[in-house]
Amino acid sequence: MKQHTDFSFRPASRTQMFFCYLAAAILTVVLLLGGNSRSYAQSFTEKPYELRFAPDFWYNDVDGIRLGVRMRGQVPGTFDDGPHRLDTGLWLGTWLPDTPVSYYIKYTNPIASISDFNSEGSYSLLSSIRAGFHRHGLGFDKRWQPGFNEDEFTQFAAFGGVYRHFDDEYLVFPALWQDGWTPHLAMSAQRQQATEAGFLYYRASAFTGLADGEDLFSSLQAEVRKSIALSRQFNIRLRVSGGYAAGEVPPEQRYLASQATAFSWMNSGFFRAKGTIPVPWMESGAFQLTGNAANIRGYAGRDARNARNGTPVFYEAYTAINAEIDYPNPIDRIFESIPILGDFLRLRSYLFTDVFSGARYSDDRTENLADAGAGFALSLNIPDQLGRPRGFVLRCDLPVWLSSPEPGEDPLKLRGVVSFGAVIGF
């Protein structure tokens, strides 16, 4: 783990500091107006407006303890579902790195002509610089939901903008990133429906951009999830996914067997900067971030070691199957018996297997992988007003069999991988 003894300030680039000072100026104005929220609202919406503040701190090996404030803004009584929603944060890295000030700003506003009860259409503006990562752009979301039934919905999302990772000091695995500006457009569509046997979920996404502002690339990814309730105690979860990438795909957008793409790591506070999770743990592959990828949990150690050595194993196309079967455990029964809390707190116990086939970038060779084992997932989930997950899933998997272990390693061996997020989420 890197130890910092130099607390001197090193100037950032003009572009980085411009964005930081702009964000600081915007948030300062908002903070000053927060004490007079009624006049602030009347000048923009003709309605009272409320601002909610909360202190915030985090840690990584570059910023040290990152101190700041989070702020949410909304029209009172709309419960994060009304016009002119703000989600912002402003932080200072106490170790004064190259860019000591970081920020996140997202403004969301419904489009009345395409919005209905629980079926909002909205646009959003996003700007962020944190953990050495720029991201700025404009988004659009549309949801279709029948009445109060949050289990049935269709949703479309699009986001266009630019990103750039400009400081390798934050990265555990620099080989997973390039450092140029990347204009991009991302789109996704998803649908979930409830059946007599369980839930059925579909998702498809497309991502296209210009790597380093010049080289065109595109990727497609899709998945289908199905849950089948065999009884009150036993449940089968299946996930089938696949992806394909074409063109000059930058490393952060390429597929790995075990982990989400490196680009997706920027959405997780635990993974976007080294040190929040100790670096030796990350380099050993003890932690996994699931996402729009294959999520083959038994190969997290192999992928981490290769990335640490500067030779990550990327795939330009893949297909994968993840399967789990839940079985009862006494701790979960205790959780279920707790009034109110038992509706939100769960400890799943399950057996799993993952199967993967992918075409490698390095030699166009098709690689086939599989694993099997047992796992536990602790989840605390208090859904929002649309039934979307709002909480955490802490998962521990024990892959005891690998089809293609490392040279000299026994296929049958007790291994462990911890993850924030489910492989097959519902």
Side-chain angles (χ1 to χ4, degrees):
M1 182 181 296
K2 181 170 180 171
Q3 300 295 323
H4 283 255
T5 57
D6 180 9
F7 291 88
S8 61
F9 176 77
R10 291 168 289 173
S13 72
R14 292 182 179 179
T15 301
Q16 296 162 14
M17 293 310 298
F18 170 77
F19 280 112
C20 287
Y21 290 140
L22 177 62
I26 293 172
L27 285 179
T28 299
V29 172
V30 171
L31 289 169
L32 292 173
L33 291 173
N36 187 14
S37 60
R38 180 173 296 274
S39 61
Y40 170 84
Q42 288 174 341
S43 64
F44 286 93
T45 67
E46 299 300 322
K47 295 181 180 179
Y49 196 81
E50 67 178 11
L51 299 174
R52 295 173 292 169
F53 301 92
D56 189 80
F57 68 93
W58 202 247
Y59 174 84
N60 64 60
D61 279 357
V62 181
D63 294 317
I65 298 175
R66 195 185 67 174
L67 299 174
V69 61
R70 293 296 301 259
M71 184 200 75
R72 290 185 180 272
Q74 66 173 358
V75 174
T78 56
F79 305 103
D80 297 319
D81 195 28
H84 307 298
R85 303 193 295 269
L86 275 174
D87 181 11
T88 67
L90 180 65
W91 302 273
L92 175 67
T94 55
W95 282 354
L96 298 179
D98 286 355
T99 307
V101 179
S102 58
Y103 75 90
Y104 173 90
I105 301 176
K106 185 178 182 181
Y107 168 80
T108 303
N109 194 47
I111 303 171
S113 60
I114 60 171
S115 295
D116 202 352
F117 178 73
N118 282 346
S119 296
E120 179 182 275
S122 65
Y123 66 89
S124 59
L125 303 171
L126 183 146
S127 181
S128 174
I129 301 178
R130 55 184 176 183
F133 184 66
H134 275 280
R135 194 176 189 193
H136 316 282
L138 172 66
F140 170 80
D141 288 89
K142 173 59 183 153
R143 181 182 177 94
W144 295 266
Q145 176 183 309
F148 290 96
N149 187 5
E150 296 93 354
D151 293 334
E152 301 251 1
F153 66 87
T154 302
Q155 190 158 338
F156 173 80
F159 183 90
V162 295
Y163 74 81
R164 180 192 175 207
H165 207 295
F166 60 87
D167 192 343
D168 285 356
E169 278 291 301
Y170 288 92
L171 298 175
V172 179
F173 305 115
L176 299 183
W177 280 91
Q178 53 88 29
D179 63 359
W181 285 100
T182 304
H184 64 282
L185 174 65
M187 295 182 290
S188 67
Q190 53 186 318
R191 175 171 173 74
Q192 179 173 293
Q193 59 189 88
T195 67
E196 293 184 359
F199 290 108
L200 184 61
Y201 173 87
Y202 313 86
R203 186 191 56 79
S205 61
F207 195 105
T208 187
L210 296 173
D212 205 14
E214 298 178 354
D215 301 318
L216 180 66
F217 70 93
S218 299
S219 63
L220 300 173
Q221 203 271 347
E223 67 174 295
V224 179
R225 303 183 211 152
K226 174 67 175 176
S227 69
I228 304 171
L230 301 179
S231 67
R232 186 174 179 274
Q233 302 291 338
F234 293 90
N235 186 52
I236 295 177
R237 301 166 187 258
L238 299 171
R239 177 178 181 266
V240 179
S241 65
Y244 175 75
E248 300 296 325
V249 184
E252 68 271 12
Q253 298 291 348
R254 296 184 181 185
Y255 300 118
L256 297 162
S258 64
Q259 304 277 8
T261 60
F263 179 79
S264 299
W265 290 26
M266 295 300 108
N267 296 323
S268 170
F270 291 97
F271 284 77
R272 72 168 61 102
K274 68 182 182 183
T276 305
I277 299 173
V279 172
W281 297 2
M282 290 289 294
E283 291 181 336
S284 71
F287 280 78
Q288 177 193 31
L289 182 65
T290 58
N292 300 339
N295 300 334
I296 310 300
R297 59 202 101 184
Y299 292 85
R302 183 205 68 168
D303 285 350
R305 286 188 290 272
N306 287 328
R308 180 189 62 200
N309 295 333
T311 57
V313 179
F314 293 124
Y315 301 88
E316 61 180 342
Y318 81 90
T319 56
I321 299 174
N322 312 105
E324 298 175 354
I325 179 167
D326 294 348
Y327 62 88
N329 67 80
I331 297 178
D332 189 52
R333 290 180 178 176
I334 294 174
F335 287 164
E336 282 188 306
S337 67
I338 302 174
I340 302 177
L341 183 62
D343 294 333
F344 308 108
L345 184 64
R346 293 293 311 275
L347 178 66
R348 291 178 50 225
S349 51
Y350 53 86
L351 304 175
F352 71 84
T353 185
D354 306 309
V355 179
F356 171 90
S357 180
R360 295 175 58 149
Y361 264 99
S362 57
D363 51 18
D364 294 327
R365 178 168 59 91
T366 297
E367 185 171 51
N368 299 311
L369 307 172
D371 63 26
F376 299 90
L378 176 67
S379 63
L380 177 62
N381 178 33
I382 302 176
D384 66 9
Q385 72 277 3
L386 295 177
R388 293 174 298 199
R390 187 172 53 181
F392 70 86
V393 177
L394 178 61
R395 177 171 51 83
C396 179
D397 287 322
L398 304 172
V400 296
W401 173 77
L402 301 184
S403 64
S404 302
E406 294 289 282
E409 185 181 34
D410 193 332
L412 290 173
K413 176 184 175 182
L414 183 62
R415 306 165 180 87
V417 59
V418 177
S419 176
F420 302 98
V423 169
I424 310 171
F426 276 107

